[in-house]
Amino acid sequence: LVSPNGQIDGLDLGSLITFDQTAYMEAGYTSETSALNKIGYVYVPNTCSQNNTNCKVHVAFHGCLQTLDDIDEDFVSEAGYNSWAAANDIIILYPQ
């Protein structure tokens, strides 16, 4: 992995996109009765969406009490995965 070295300036970042997770819930379950929130996130570096770059995928599972309901978007935007992903052509999936 290439370290972003804390240097975000000049790094071609990407987009944090929400997606509907309800399609992944078992029949009969809702976001209230399953372990999934209705919304999940995916971070896509610009190099992965704009070029024919062969990007990897990493799934980032939050810890206890780090859900969207508990800390809003802090985990998906502030945990540090996104700058590493932008520097290394990695798409980050954040199930909630």
Side-chain angles (χ1 to χ4, degrees):
L1 290 176
V2 175
S3 171
N5 294 324
Q7 300 295 321
I8 301 301
D9 295 338
L11 185 61
D12 190 18
L13 295 178
S15 300
L16 188 60
I17 303 164
T18 60
F19 67 94
D20 182 358
Q21 293 189 136
T22 58
Y24 305 104
M25 293 179 193
E26 288 190 49
Y29 283 87
T30 67
S31 60
E32 289 78 30
T33 60
S34 74
L36 286 177
N37 192 296
K38 292 178 185 177
I39 297 171
Y41 293 85
V42 61
Y43 175 80
V44 181
N46 288 336
T47 55
C48 295
S49 63
Q50 297 172 353
N51 302 328
N52 289 329
T53 305
N54 193 9
C55 294
K56 301 166 219 63
V57 175
H58 177 83
V59 180
F61 293 105
H62 59 74
C64 296
L65 302 177
Q66 292 181 328
T67 67
L68 185 60
D69 292 334
D70 293 318
I71 62 171
D72 199 40
E73 293 183 354
D74 289 354
F75 179 72
V76 299
S77 61
E78 303 296 329
Y81 289 101
N82 299 342
S83 58
W84 280 89
N88 291 280
D89 300 332
I90 300 172
I91 296 168
I92 307 291
L93 177 64
Y94 295 100
Q96 293 297 301

